[in-house]
Amino acid sequence: MKSSTRYLKIFLYVFIVVLCLGYLGYKSTYASYETNVSGNINPQIADWKILVNGVDAAKSDKVLELDSTSFKWDCPSNGVREQKVGPGCSGVMNISVDASSTEVAVLYEFDIVDKTIAPEKILKITNIQFSNPNFYKTGASKYSGYLSLDDIKNKPKLNISIEVVWENTGDLVYDEEFFTNDENYITIDFFAKQYFGEEIIPYTE
């Protein structure tokens, strides 16, 4: 009887060990399958590429580096030497926005600070024209527009024309350090993000 009891205990011990090992092996295998499944996800990411005057806005901190050559100038012949700029001159700057390689709708914004916004600036905006009908003045210095997916399918290239004048106030004192700093003339910042159909509210002065 003692011998039978001893064999029974050995059998139960071996059975429990085998059962535990089998459970651990199953659990390990199941965990490996979970890891493999989650690692097989491979989404197709939409492209995001916007060119401002031919420069990729996503890869450059300065897509609009302004200086006197950024504008086409018209100056009085009896007041300013040819190919030079000074008080009394007017100018036009053209900005192109190309979103044809982008695969999401785009909301973009220009923040343009001239003499009417910051009196210390030299240039004053006299007119702004946009080729995109979905473009609005949304703040004292901000202009916003959007491109829907249908717009982008048509591979649009937007154009913004900014007309400025360097007013001849008659009391201007020349300061070389001030006039050689491009940021003192006018500043234009560009911003873009994905458009989700949010309403653009025009600015009322």
Side-chain angles (χ1 to χ4, degrees):
M1 178 67 70
K2 289 183 179 181
S3 177
S4 298
T5 302
R6 179 183 178 188
Y7 285 128
L8 180 60
K9 288 181 178 180
I10 293 173
F11 173 77
L12 291 175
Y13 175 76
V14 172
F15 176 76
I16 292 172
V17 170
V18 171
L19 185 64
C20 290
L21 291 175
Y23 172 76
L24 291 175
Y26 167 78
K27 184 177 180 181
S28 176
T29 302
Y30 181 72
S32 298
Y33 285 154
E34 282 189 335
T35 301
N36 290 336
V37 170
S38 64
N40 287 334
I41 298 174
N42 185 22
Q44 298 297 314
I45 306 301
D47 285 338
W48 174 262
K49 185 176 182 179
I50 301 176
L51 303 180
V52 180
N53 284 354
V55 179
D56 191 340
K59 297 180 179 180
S60 176
D61 293 332
K62 294 183 178 181
V63 295
L64 289 171
E65 295 190 88
L66 303 180
D67 56 29
S68 61
T69 62
S70 302
F71 293 85
K72 182 178 180 180
W73 294 100
D74 181 18
C75 299
S77 59
N78 60 345
V80 180
R81 181 176 292 180
E82 187 177 355
Q83 297 183 345
K84 298 295 181 180
V85 180
C89 296
S90 58
V92 178
M93 178 185 185
N94 294 309
I95 301 174
S96 66
V97 178
D98 185 355
S100 59
S101 298
T102 299
E103 296 179 331
V104 297
V106 177
L107 175 67
Y108 58 95
E109 177 182 283
F110 287 93
D111 188 4
I112 307 174
V113 179
D114 69 335
K115 193 174 182 64
T116 61
I117 303 298
E120 68 277 10
K121 298 291 185 184
I122 296 173
L123 301 180
K124 176 182 177 181
I125 294 175
T126 57
N127 188 34
I128 298 181
Q129 295 181 341
F130 312 100
S131 64
N132 180 12
N134 300 317
F135 202 89
Y136 311 91
K137 185 173 184 178
T138 54
S141 63
K142 296 184 185 300
Y143 300 83
S144 304
Y146 70 87
L147 292 169
S148 67
L149 288 176
D150 287 336
D151 293 331
I152 293 173
K153 287 178 182 178
N154 294 325
K155 298 188 180 300
K157 187 174 182 179
L158 309 177
N159 293 295
I160 299 96
S161 177
I162 302 174
E163 300 176 19
V164 300
V165 63
W166 184 342
E167 293 180 327
N168 185 7
T169 59
D171 57 356
L172 190 64
V173 177
Y174 181 76
D175 182 332
E176 182 176 2
E177 183 177 352
F178 178 80
F179 285 107
T180 54
N181 186 344
D182 296 332
E183 292 187 359
N184 291 329
Y185 287 81
I186 191 171
T187 54
I188 304 176
D189 294 320
F190 176 80
F191 169 79
K193 67 176 182 179
Q194 186 174 355
Y195 179 58
F196 293 100
E198 57 267 36
E199 182 182 5
I200 298 179
I201 301 175
Y203 175 71
T204 54
E205 300 184 25

